[in-house]
Amino acid sequence: MATNSTADPFEQSFTLVSPIIGPFNVSLVDINDFNLYNIEICINYGAQIGASIAILLLLLLLTKPDKRLSAILIVNTFSLIFNIIRNVLQCVRFTGPWTNTYAFFADDYSRIHTKDYAIPIASTVFTFLMQICVETSLYMQVRVVCVTLRELYRRVILAVSAVIALLAIGFRFAYMVENDKAIVALVPTASLYWLGSATNITTSISIFWFCAVFVTKLGFALHQRRKLGIGQFGPMQILFIMGCQTLIIPAMSSNALTSVAIFLPLSSLWASASIDNRASALKESRTVMAKYPSGSSEPTAYRKANSGTVSPAHTATTLHGSGRGSNPSSPSQHQFYSDLEKQGTGDLITTKE
């Protein structure tokens, strides 16, 4: 039998027969690309599952018992849970009958059962629920940092934030509905490309807006602290770093919702750990001062190691008396510190603008 020696054996094609469209050719290159795409996307979903599980476990194990019922923690927890569920469903979808080689190339999904339809539909529903949790968490954090602004500024920022969040949620809901209808009808989703792009754009704008407000307010507070001579690294710097990270990285990633869902609780955990460390250092300082009262010979090594320790009185003054027009007896100020404490950011300092 004659053979073509110039043909690339890795690009051979063969014929499949479909009762719907008849015979058709499929090349090895197409099959390899199809399998590679399924592997890559499952690795992507698997990485998101692993990262979400790790942060969820840290969040549940390291959060103090008195803060486990705070609204922000509940929202962040559900956001991670929904993210895990939706990514597991996506992995099941891309390893099930929807990615059968013949069914894909022949566009023949006659052997797809009802339970198989439920998997991608449920995935879009959990993505929508996750979007609600992420937007709620971002809104709550902006509400906290804006509590000491003038009432007019606060109302405008919160109103704009609510509109942006609802817009992102609305586009996600519309995309979920249209996508699920296309799945049930087994029609191509190419016509939904504009709606998917609009959903991603509004989500990115929402994340950018909330993080920009958060970072700007924290940056102003850090500037005020530096003017007061308080420049040591602490929870405020941690929140500022994580805010900048959340502002930039999701815009560069296709996994924007997962990035935000991970960064939000991670920032709270890091800031809480910093607060605990500073509290332990302050407690140790008090213990040593009680052991070595004024006039006694305090160990030189200890004096050098704690030369930068802030006194309790100075700490209290800094937390509740810094800034222009700060009033410790103000109800809004008390609410501000209460909300920050619930989020593990109790020494975050703000000033009236």
Side-chain angles (χ1 to χ4, degrees):
M1 181 173 59
T3 59
N4 187 357
S5 59
T6 61
D8 189 344
F10 288 91
E11 296 182 359
Q12 299 182 71
S13 62
F14 53 92
T15 302
L16 295 177
V17 179
S18 167
I20 301 175
I21 62 176
F24 63 97
N25 292 330
V26 179
S27 69
L28 292 177
V29 175
D30 293 335
I31 293 179
N32 288 334
D33 290 342
F34 172 68
N35 291 331
L36 183 61
Y37 173 78
N38 291 334
I39 293 172
E40 289 176 346
I41 199 167
C42 285
I43 291 174
N44 186 350
Y45 292 137
Q48 294 182 62
I49 293 171
S52 299
I53 290 176
I55 297 300
L56 179 61
L57 291 177
L58 288 175
L59 190 63
L60 296 178
L61 293 175
L62 299 181
T63 302
K64 295 180 180 179
D66 58 330
K67 297 177 183 177
R68 289 177 180 172
L69 295 180
S70 63
I72 189 69
L73 178 66
I74 294 175
V75 172
N76 287 338
T77 300
F78 274 105
S79 178
L80 291 170
I81 292 174
F82 292 151
N83 192 44
I84 294 171
I85 295 174
R86 80 181 183 101
N87 282 293
V88 168
L89 291 173
Q90 290 284 32
C91 287
V92 173
R93 176 188 180 183
F94 280 91
T95 56
W98 286 102
T99 54
N100 179 276
T101 303
Y102 170 78
F104 177 80
F105 286 101
D107 198 23
D108 182 2
Y109 296 100
S110 58
R111 296 190 179 183
I112 299 295
H113 302 290
T114 303
K115 63 182 181 65
D116 298 320
Y117 283 96
I119 292 173
I121 292 175
S123 175
T124 61
V125 172
F126 279 105
T127 301
F128 171 70
L129 295 176
M130 181 185 176
Q131 176 103 35
I132 294 177
C133 290
V134 168
E135 298 293 340
T136 302
S137 179
L138 290 170
Y139 183 86
M140 292 173 66
Q141 295 204 27
V142 166
R143 183 186 64 84
V144 171
V145 299
C146 291
V147 73
T148 56
L149 290 176
R150 295 176 184 175
E151 184 175 0
L152 177 61
Y153 296 161
R154 185 174 67 252
R155 288 180 179 274
V156 170
I157 291 176
L158 293 181
V160 173
S161 300
V163 171
I164 292 176
L166 291 175
L167 191 64
I169 293 174
F171 270 97
R172 178 68 65 179
F173 178 78
Y175 185 59
M176 175 193 69
V177 172
E178 294 299 324
N179 195 24
D180 290 347
K181 289 168 62 177
I183 292 173
V184 173
L186 290 176
V187 297
T189 58
S191 60
L192 301 178
Y193 178 79
W194 72 271
L195 185 56
S197 298
T199 301
N200 293 332
I201 291 172
T202 52
T203 299
S204 299
I205 292 174
S206 172
I207 295 172
F208 179 85
W209 165 261
F210 283 112
C211 293
V213 173
F214 191 70
V215 168
T216 301
K217 191 65 177 69
L218 283 179
F220 180 82
L222 287 173
H223 176 69
Q224 293 297 106
R225 283 169 59 99
R226 189 169 294 276
K227 289 173 62 176
L228 293 172
I230 309 172
Q232 69 270 27
F233 188 84
M236 280 194 65
Q237 285 80 358
I238 292 172
L239 293 175
F240 184 81
I241 292 171
M242 296 301 294
C244 292
Q245 180 173 289
T246 309
L247 178 66
I248 297 172
I249 292 181
M252 303 169 57
S253 171
S254 60
N255 303 319
L257 286 178
T258 298
S259 300
V260 177
I262 290 175
F263 290 157
L264 289 178
L266 188 61
S267 62
S268 297
L269 289 175
W270 189 9
S272 297
S274 176
I275 292 175
D276 293 340
N277 290 337
R278 294 177 67 181
S280 299
L282 184 60
K283 182 178 180 180
E284 180 182 355
S285 175
R286 289 175 176 173
T287 303
V288 174
M289 293 299 292
K291 185 176 181 181
Y292 298 97
S294 178
S296 63
S297 57
E298 182 183 356
T300 304
Y302 181 82
R303 289 201 305 271
K304 291 182 178 180
N306 295 274
S307 58
T309 303
V310 182
S311 66
H314 182 262
T315 302
T317 303
T318 302
L319 292 179
H320 300 287
S322 64
R324 301 188 304 273
S326 178
N327 182 9
S329 62
S330 170
S332 63
Q333 289 283 74
H334 282 303
Q335 179 64 33
F336 172 67
Y337 293 114
S338 174
D339 290 341
L340 290 175
E341 178 62 24
K342 290 178 181 179
Q343 297 184 47
T345 56
D347 74 336
L348 199 160
I349 302 169
T350 59
T351 53
K352 286 268 187 181
E353 294 182 4

